[in-house]
Amino acid sequence: MSNEISHRKRPKGSEEKRSAILDAAVTVFSRKGFANARIEDIARQAGIGKGTVYLYFPDKESLFKSLVASAVEPILEHADRFLSEEDTSPRETMTTVYDMIDTHILQSEKRHIIRLMITEMSYFPDIAAYYHTNIVSRGLDLLRKLLIRADARGELRSQHALKVPQMVFAPVVMSVIWNALFARFESIDTHAAFQFYLDSLFQSADGA
Amino acid sequence: MSNEISHRKRPKGSEEKRSAILDAAVTVFSRKGFANARIEDIARQAGIGKGTVYLYFPDKESLFKSLVASAVEPILEHADRFLSEEDTSPRETMTTVYDMIDTHILQSEKRHIIRLMITEMSYFPDIAAYYHTNIVSRGLDLLRKLLIRADARGELRSQHALKVPQMVFAPVVMSVIWNALFARFESIDTHAAFQFYLDSLFQSADGA
Amino acid sequence: MSNEISHRKRPKGSEEKRSAILDAAVTVFSRKGFANARIEDIARQAGIGKGTVYLYFPDKESLFKSLVASAVEPILEHADRFLSEEDTSPRETMTTVYDMIDTHILQSEKRHIIRLMITEMSYFPDIAAYYHTNIVSRGLDLLRKLLIRADARGELRSQHALKVPQMVFAPVVMSVIWNALFARFESIDTHAAFQFYLDSLFQSADGA
Amino acid sequence: MSNEISHRKRPKGSEEKRSAILDAAVTVFSRKGFANARIEDIARQAGIGKGTVYLYFPDKESLFKSLVASAVEPILEHADRFLSEEDTSPRETMTTVYDMIDTHILQSEKRHIIRLMITEMSYFPDIAAYYHTNIVSRGLDLLRKLLIRADARGELRSQHALKVPQMVFAPVVMSVIWNALFARFESIDTHAAFQFYLDSLFQSADGA
DNA sequence: CATGAATGAGGTTTCATTCAT
DNA sequence: GATGAATGAAACCTCATTCAT
């Protein structure tokens, strides 16, 4: 909706402008990567002047970090709520989580931000630290609990899953990376990946 | 092993020096990423002068591409051979493949190169095209055959796997990325990931 | 004179600055030649920063070409007008042309640019092609007509002149080159050269 | 004979090699200009190693200067002899000189060196000084005497010629420069230029 | 607030020159 | 003597950032 190539008309309100810059940044960072993105391109894409970017973000790195934050924070709230639900079956919970991820990340412009996190975060150790502490490790804790609950109910197919809860994210990561590198040549069936994972993680309580 | 009659005119220590530059390049590219790696740093790391790098590689991009090639090409030969074996059970074959990957990539310095491929390749579309054609799509073909054979033998656990053979690489990709971003904070149990995958893909022929 | 509505978006002092850069470029290119002139020297000479040069000219070569164009284009307009005059005697016309060249080129800073054209143009084949097509061959055509008209009026001294109209430029070229190489040691009497040429080309109609 | 593009077989004798380097230098300097000629190209063209050039010439500049010297010195000897002849008519003498120049310079590879002198000498003030003192001013003296002698015999057409003896070289300079810049597009009739000059300088003693 | 002209640090690449073999 | 691998100074050009308007 807002990531055409055309230069949009000047946004007015201050918060709107901040958000226009972030939108433009996703586009440009996605296309070029952090190092090759020019602030001037982001400004033009946002329909504002180059100097204006610096009224909203102190420097290029902060802009990138804000971008990541703007994408990740809303996700966390949802996740928190759903993963803690204990009155639904683990498979149902996980199905819901995957649906949410599919809808709110993979199908939205946010998938670009997730890709940028994956490809650029190793060069921003402080971002990595921040998100590990605040998001990843908390997410893994919730997942571990979910898997343990599934195991207790006899629904966990492989004990190995308990040792690598990170793999639950594999369909997301693989989908994002595959599309970044090879979408031009060959698509990846993300839904099948989710289904495959649900089948891999869970079985009905009778072991079938 | 790499001491054949050299292709070009460079004398004696030449191939060793080329190697030294590539080794230095892994280190520096890994630490800084392609864009932030300075040729001068690579040269210093290799213990040579800045200009010397250009005697072996025409420019920074070629150096990077050669680096990727040097890591990937040997892998392909092995993979080809093993995946085509038809007289072993699919699970055994896959186990061997995972072992090979673990030994030759994840446990070696090559894991850094694989990470660089994943994180930088989207900015080198021609590398992506080359490796998709020559490696990835061929690998997927072999995997598809393997999975179909497993299915024919009643050993494939989920039909969904057939639609996303890419997911077979998930343990490798996840391991590499996790370690790049979060190894400092929390390890990932790569072996458990492989086991989980084998359990997910295959069941004994009687469905157990 | 150069204060029309400017083509691009550069505001107020912009055309002045472009001019200042071109002026500085004449000085530095003249002193050092194209290859040995450093952009930084030109910038310093113009009283601006190195990067500023690149706001006005995309690269060093373009700067050089613009420099040549800025000197040559105004000349052409004049020349066109005068050489086509058919109601004055050829000798008078040629006298006027030589006067114009003397005033507007040899006595002005433009003589440096003409020298640069002569000394550097062989390394810019596209400049040579452009100026041959647009200036030199057109100038020669006009000169040929002039000489033929003189011949028809019985005023051409030597038929050989018709075969090498290029020699009409000899006083200019010789003067520019002599001064570039030997002005320090010995002057060249440019006016005598022009007079010699007029005497060589033309005689009164009665053959005297 | 010796300016093909192919890499010749190794010359052996020391003087031969010096001369091979000079031959190669003409070719390469002509094609690229002083600044853009690479020592390595000259060496390859001469069929020797890069370092070998430095056994014969201390640096690039010296090589260039030696090149010019090798072309100019032999010319001087001839010129001296002919111009001083007083028992032939000035026009005959000048005709001979022009013939010599045509044969030994314009028709030979030396024309490239003359061009290089013209185009590069302004950036080598010491070369200019040397040749002005030793060649140009001496040549002009001889020419002045010749013209005065012609005048005394009533054979000088225009008194202006006495004031700009430099113009006697105009056909040479114009021919060399024209060919350097525009030979691809349009030729210059050098012989007509010489004839035009002889007609311009001299008349028969009776004024015809 | 907004702008974009101006700046100069920084990185890539070239190539004259050296020197160990 | 001859070589060419190695070097690093030097120059082009880019772009994040500043600041006068």
Side-chain angles (χ1 to χ4, degrees), chain C residues 29-36 115-133 136-137 140 144 157-161 163-164 166-171 173-175 177-178 180-182 184-193 195-197 199-201 203, chain D residues 29-36 115-133 136-137 140 144 157-161 163-164 166-171 173-175 177-178 180-182 184-193 195-197 199-201 203:
Chain C
F29 280 139
S30 289
R31 201 147 38 217
K32 308 271 200 170
F34 177 79
N36 281 94
R115 170 164 65 86
L116 286 168
M117 287 186 67
I118 295 171
T119 57
E120 308 279 355
M121 211 196 273
S122 38
Y123 311 120
F124 294 98
D126 53 336
I127 303 192
Y130 178 81
Y131 286 114
H132 179 264
T133 305
V136 176
S137 77
L140 289 186
R144 252 184 231 104
R157 191 176 283 276
S158 165
Q159 296 294 318
H160 295 300
K163 298 197 206 150
V164 272
Q166 294 99 333
M167 291 306 288
V168 169
F169 297 130
V173 171
M174 288 299 290
S175 164
I177 288 179
W178 181 271
L181 303 185
F182 305 125
R184 286 176 297 159
F185 312 112
E186 190 178 358
S187 65
I188 183 169
D189 185 338
T190 310
H191 289 110
Q195 291 304 321
F196 171 64
Y197 251 76
D199 287 352
S200 300
L201 290 167
Q203 60 194 349
Chain D
F29 281 138
S30 290
R31 202 142 46 210
K32 307 271 199 172
F34 178 79
N36 282 95
R115 170 162 66 85
L116 286 169
M117 289 185 66
I118 295 171
T119 58
E120 309 277 356
M121 212 195 277
S122 38
Y123 311 121
F124 295 99
D126 53 335
I127 304 192
Y130 178 82
Y131 286 112
H132 179 263
T133 305
V136 176
S137 75
L140 288 187
R144 254 185 229 103
R157 191 177 282 277
S158 164
Q159 294 295 318
H160 296 300
K163 297 197 206 149
V164 274
Q166 294 99 331
M167 291 306 288
V168 169
F169 297 129
V173 171
M174 288 299 291
S175 164
I177 289 180
W178 180 272
L181 303 185
F182 305 125
R184 285 176 298 159
F185 312 112
E186 189 177 358
S187 64
I188 183 168
D189 185 338
T190 309
H191 288 111
Q195 291 303 322
F196 170 63
Y197 252 76
D199 286 353
S200 301
L201 289 168
Q203 61 192 347

